[in-house]
């Protein structure tokens, strides 16, 4: 997988490894890497935590939708790591269905271990393990809806995840056959 002309986009819950895998994938493919949360922070001059605290979650979501639309409209194919809540917006989901979108799926125990205390993730200020499990379960149908490829990442190294994505058969976006 890594079709020309579309972006390779990573979706999944907090702690799924989107940013780490995305960076390694971009090295492997020689494509630019963009992390949507980092772009958002650079554009607003605020961390994600500050955006939630100062602007509020609805404003953060509106900015997230705008940034995703901008990133996916770029012609040069990139590897894009998204924030875990990016699939909440219907227009973003429609745009993601036109990309090579990979759902990095992980068991609740894996997510809980990786997010740890939830530092830097405002939605995980309280009960990080329970919250990440609940959000992952609630959003699973949305990740599935946009995914060209679903990859179970539990127990896999970053290099193994990258290899499996690169080896996956290409399924052209929009090809219903
Ligand atoms: C969020 C995930 C975060 C970040 C924000 C909200 C979510 O990104 O966008 O804290 O709603 O799941 P990561 O998935 O990269 O942690």
């Amino acid at each position: 997988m890594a079709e020309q002309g579309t972006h390779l986009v990573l979706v999944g819950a907090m702690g799924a490894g989107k940013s780490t895998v995305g960076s390694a994938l971009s090295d492997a493919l020689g494509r630019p890497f963009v992390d949507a949360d980092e772009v958002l922070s650079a554009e607003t001059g605020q961390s994600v935590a500050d955006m939630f605290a100062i602007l509020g979650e609805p404003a953060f979501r509106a900015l997230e939708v705008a940034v995703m639309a901008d990133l996916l409209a770029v012609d040069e194919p990139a590897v894009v790591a998204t924030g875990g809540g990016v699939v909440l917006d219907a227009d973003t989901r429609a745009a993601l269905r036109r990309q090579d979108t990979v759902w990095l799926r992980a068991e609740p125990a894996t997510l809980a271990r990786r997010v740890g205390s939830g530092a830097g993730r405002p939605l995980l200020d309280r009960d990080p393990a329970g919250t990440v499990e609940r959000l992952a379960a609630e959003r699973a149908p949305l990740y599935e809806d946009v995914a060209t490829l679903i990859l179970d990442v539990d127990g896999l190294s970053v290099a193994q995840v990258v290899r499996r994505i690169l080896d996956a058969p290409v399924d052209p976006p929009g090809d219903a056959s």
Side-chain angles (χ1 to χ4, degrees), residues 14 18 37 48 60-61 83-85 121-123 139:
M14 290 178 270
K18 304 177 296 286
D37 276 346
V48 169
F60 170 82
R61 295 297 175 202
R121 289 178 162 120
L123 292 177
R139 295 168 177 175

Side-chain angles (χ1 to χ4, degrees), residues 36-167:
D37 276 346
E38 280 181 13
V39 172
L40 204 44
S41 289
E43 287 188 0
T44 58
Q46 292 180 341
S47 67
V48 169
D50 282 348
M51 279 185 258
F52 268 71
I54 297 165
L55 307 174
E57 182 170 350
F60 170 82
R61 295 297 175 202
L63 290 167
E64 185 175 47
V65 168
V67 161
M68 283 304 299
D70 287 350
L71 293 180
L72 297 181
V74 172
D75 279 341
E76 184 184 7
V79 176
V80 181
T82 61
V86 79
V87 290
L88 295 172
D89 178 72
D91 290 337
T92 303
R93 290 200 300 280
L96 289 173
R97 282 193 292 269
R98 295 192 289 273
Q99 316 298 323
D100 289 329
T101 300
V102 181
W103 174 17
L104 300 181
R105 186 167 65 179
E107 293 291 338
T110 302
L111 299 173
R113 181 167 40 77
R114 292 199 187 151
V115 299
S117 67
R121 289 178 162 120
L123 292 177
L124 303 184
D125 280 348
R126 272 177 294 154
D127 184 18
T131 306
V132 78
E133 175 172 4
R134 176 177 58 78
L135 290 176
E138 280 174 13
R139 295 168 177 175
L142 304 179
Y143 296 133
E144 184 169 16
D145 176 47
V146 300
T148 315
L149 173 70
I150 302 173
L151 191 59
D152 289 312
V153 298
D154 306 277
L156 297 182
S157 68
V158 172
Q160 286 171 320
V161 173
V162 167
R163 192 70 262 154
R164 289 194 192 192
I165 292 172
L166 295 179
D167 288 347

